[in-house]
Amino acid sequence: MDKTASIYVAGHRGLVGSAIVRNLRAAGFSNIVTRTHAELDLTDERATRGFFEAEKPEYVFMAAAKVGGIVANNTYPAQFIRDNLAIQTNVIHAAHLAGVTRLLFLGSSCIYPKLAAQPMREDALLTGPLEPTNRPYALAKIAGIEMCWSYNREYGTKFLAAMPTNLYGPGDNYHPTNSHVIPALLRKFHEAKLRGDATVTVWGSGTPRREFMYSDDMADACVFLMNLPDIRYQALLGSDENQSGRFEPPLVNIGTGTDVTIAELAQLVRQTTGFTGDIVFDASKPDGTPRKLMDVSLLTQTGWRARTPLAQGLCDAYAEFQQSESGKT
Ligand SMILES: NC(=O)c1ccc[n+]([C@@H]2O[C@H](COP(=O)([O-])OP(=O)(O)OC[C@H]3O[C@@H](n4cnc5c(N)ncnc54)[C@H](OP(=O)(O)O)[C@@H]3O)[C@@H](O)[C@H]2O)c1
């Protein structure tokens, strides 16, 4: 990407979008186009088309989505499938009409089957049933991958889908009940420290293994992919199955390639927050799937690797959390 190229980051105020904007700014990209949800509702087809016609961005990072935890996904399944299908359909089609040079569509590891072999490779897509709690969301994301693939086949576009693992970092959602595991644990241990509690109870047995990536690393991977020379970028776009006979969607996993147990994570969060009490595991609560790890061989082959160790990322995230909490008082 040229430093003056017009780059649209959809969802720039979210965890993922804000990290991409930080990365682009730090790298000297000067023409970053953003719109808040209030300024441009991407479920509105006419407004989305009008925006693309007027701005004509050359590159698009698709980090706008209706996102939520298990409770939200279970409570609003219709909104999750409808909004995400609408957002991505409008953006992908408008990007094609506006002649966007490259588009990076972001999804998540929930697109892979519930019982996919670990670590999960890109070719595990569509090989088995999905986790039912977020199936509407996951199916919308799978449709987004298929749209990128279909538009590439029919119109010769260069749309790539990237699936990041679990993320954490600045601007994360620290809601006490509706947040992902890292922000939830940081808040829990932080508040236990302030109250002087003797113990913190962590749900489940502590044995499941999970992968976590710092959002700034993920953003670095996204910008790296978008910047790849044509021949290497083209290689990630897979192939037309009708011609190659191979199932090769334009899909790449983004992760660290390593995982930790929830017990190890809790221990790291305890150290990070300075909580001095004990950790108790409540094994009566569900554990979920025993392991969820992305296979990142394809990404690694491009020459990119995650840089931020979990312990350091947790310290940075905790510092930002404390800062945002002190701003509230
Ligand atoms: N967080 C993770 O751990 C994680 C992991 C893997 C993949 N991802 C993927 O990354 C993408 C972004 O996730 P995130 O965690 O950054 O989510 P997020 O923090 O909730 O941000 C989503 C952004 O999209 C915007 N948005 C939602 N609906 C919109 C609409 N109709 N029109 C315009 N903007 C809209 C939101 O604006 P408002 O807040 O104003 O609605 C927000 O800025 C998703 O595709 C997700 O699957 C996330």
Side-chain angles (χ1 to χ4, degrees):
M1 288 184 291
D2 193 90
K3 294 286 180 198
T4 56
S6 163
I7 305 168
Y8 172 43
V9 181
H12 70 289
R13 294 215 287 205
L15 176 68
V16 169
S18 62
I20 291 174
V21 169
R22 269 197 304 282
N23 186 287
L24 289 169
R25 290 217 173 107
F29 292 97
S30 58
N31 192 3
I32 304 167
V33 181
T34 57
R35 291 290 183 279
T36 63
H37 188 167
E39 289 164 345
L40 174 62
D41 180 356
L42 294 168
T43 64
D44 180 335
E45 184 188 2
R46 188 194 288 251
T48 306
R49 252 166 93 163
F51 164 77
F52 272 85
E53 276 163 17
E55 287 293 336
K56 295 219 174 303
E58 294 164 73
Y59 298 91
V60 174
F61 290 91
M62 251 305 277
K66 185 169 179 65
V67 177
I70 292 182
V71 177
N73 269 277
N74 255 334
T75 317
Y76 309 110
Q79 289 179 37
F80 272 82
I81 191 161
R82 189 265 170 189
D83 280 11
N84 284 305
L85 284 173
I87 291 171
Q88 65 204 37
T89 301
N90 294 341
V91 172
I92 289 172
H93 191 61
H96 151 60
L97 293 179
V100 162
T101 309
R102 289 183 184 181
L103 174 146
L104 192 67
F105 170 73
L106 286 154
S108 81
S109 60
C110 66
I111 58 155
Y112 293 117
K114 186 178 175 170
L115 302 176
Q118 301 293 320
M120 297 178 291
R121 289 160 40 121
E122 288 83 354
D123 60 10
L125 185 70
L126 293 171
T127 56
L130 301 165
E131 160 62 40
T133 47
N134 56 13
R135 190 172 53 220
Y137 178 80
L139 279 172
K141 292 293 180 185
I142 293 171
I145 299 166
E146 190 68 46
M147 274 189 84
C148 291
W149 203 4
S150 301
Y151 274 63
N152 292 350
R153 282 168 56 199
E154 188 171 343
Y155 303 123
T157 50
K158 293 191 166 72
F159 297 167
L160 176 64
M163 301 297 127
T165 187
N166 304 306
L167 304 171
Y168 68 98
D172 212 341
N173 165 17
Y174 287 92
H175 192 275
T177 52
N178 189 21
S179 53
H180 291 133
V181 56
I182 286 189
L185 287 180
L186 281 171
R187 173 179 283 284
K188 212 171 186 177
F189 278 83
H190 172 73
E191 291 177 350
K193 179 182 75 170
L194 295 186
R195 287 192 301 263
D197 292 353
T199 59
V200 161
T201 302
V202 175
W203 278 27
S205 65
T207 56
R209 303 189 69 85
R210 293 289 182 273
E211 179 184 14
F212 300 100
M213 184 179 218
Y214 196 55
S215 61
D216 284 342
D217 278 2
M218 179 274 331
D220 196 61
C222 291
V223 174
F224 176 88
L225 291 172
M226 198 66 121
N227 250 327
L228 279 174
D230 268 334
I231 194 155
R232 289 170 61 205
Y233 183 84
Q234 194 70 37
L236 294 173
L237 297 182
S239 63
D240 182 341
E241 201 170 355
N242 292 328
Q243 286 167 16
S244 67
R246 292 189 303 270
F247 179 73
E248 287 177 334
L251 177 61
V252 58
N253 290 339
I254 299 184
T256 62
T258 55
D259 55 3
V260 291
T261 64
I262 295 296
E264 287 163 343
L265 174 69
Q267 189 58 34
L268 278 172
V269 172
R270 172 164 70 173
Q271 283 161 16
T272 306
T273 56
F275 173 70
T276 50
D278 291 329
I279 302 171
V280 176
F281 292 97
D282 178 358
S284 71
K285 295 287 190 303
D287 263 345
T289 177
R291 193 174 195 205
K292 242 186 136 190
L293 176 66
M294 295 282 222
D295 182 308
V296 288
S297 318
L298 194 56
L299 179 65
T300 313
Q301 280 162 28
T302 66
W304 188 91
R305 264 173 212 283
R307 275 194 295 254
T308 311
L310 184 54
Q312 186 197 320
L314 287 173
C315 283
D316 294 350
Y318 184 51
E320 197 261 349
F321 166 72
Q322 284 178 298
Q323 217 171 5
S324 68
E325 285 296 289
S326 66
K328 287 181 193 159
T329 52

